[in-house]
Amino acid sequence: MRVDILGVGFDNVTMSEALARGEQMLCADRAHYVVTPNPEIVETCRENAAAKDAVNGADLVLPDGIGVIYGAKMLKTPLAERVPGIEFGTGMIETCARLGKRVYLLGAKPGVAEQAAENLIARFPGLIVSGTHDGYFKEDAPVAAAIRDSGADMVLVCLGAPKQELFMAQYGEATGAKLLMGLGGSLDIFAGVAQRAPEFYCRHNLEWLYRLVKNPSRFGRMLKLPLFLLHVVGAKRK
Ligand code: UDP
């Protein structure tokens, strides 16, 4: 049973359980997709029914963002732990390298996915990257076909929310891949174009603060975090 937070159902799993489920899906015979909603995405889902269906339709819904963990606690349905998308993605890339599965990198600005591929191949010996594509395309179907033609087993879909969730829900099967995951800005981090918050911020659950200081234009987006907590308080009262 999933833990409901403002209409989004989260799987109550630890990182190692999530990775075990990911490996099962990767070795299955149909397409699966994983989403990693943070409070901002939950807020998007409250306003956008198609986004909400795409998120809830995922095979695995992982709590990314400390806000989701707080929200679950406030609603007295605590989740085991935070499962950051980028860490889940990294673990699954390692699994692909170990099993000889092929990975496709989709998203971010032109050139970023190629750089991410180069860095990941250096980091995970034996990793096969079947192809890359930037995230600024007009038509989805040709991109899904390119992924299929590459023979990918797993796809990192890094198009930002809710574009990546909608793409996976609609085209997951058409890509021929067994496992797709929506990972936001992860390709920028794998490519070294953006940095993950230093250990201190992560340990103190202040990753959001680091991202805000680094990129003040995110301020508008970040207002969704207090809004999310307000909505959780409202849901609790009901
Ligand atoms: N992006 C994309 N296509 C688009 C819009 C965004 O490929 O049409 C990429 C963008 O370049 C960035 C990622 O999607 O690499 C979204 O990053 P963001 O910081 O919004 O994601 P978060 O990690 O906060 O969910």
Side-chain angles (χ1 to χ4, degrees), residues 38 107-109 135-136 158-160 163 183-185 188 211 218 221:
N38 57 19
K109 298 206 171 112
Y136 295 85
C158 302
L159 306 172
K163 197 174 167 185
L183 296 182
D188 294 322
R211 295 179 93 179
R218 292 180 76 98
R221 285 176 62 176

Side-chain angles (χ1 to χ4, degrees), residues 31-53:
H32 297 79
Y33 69 97
V34 180
V35 295
T36 62
N38 57 19
E40 189 187 348
I41 300 178
V42 174
E43 282 299 311
T44 299
C45 290
R46 294 183 78 242
E47 292 155 13
N48 180 336
K52 184 171 159 178
D53 287 348

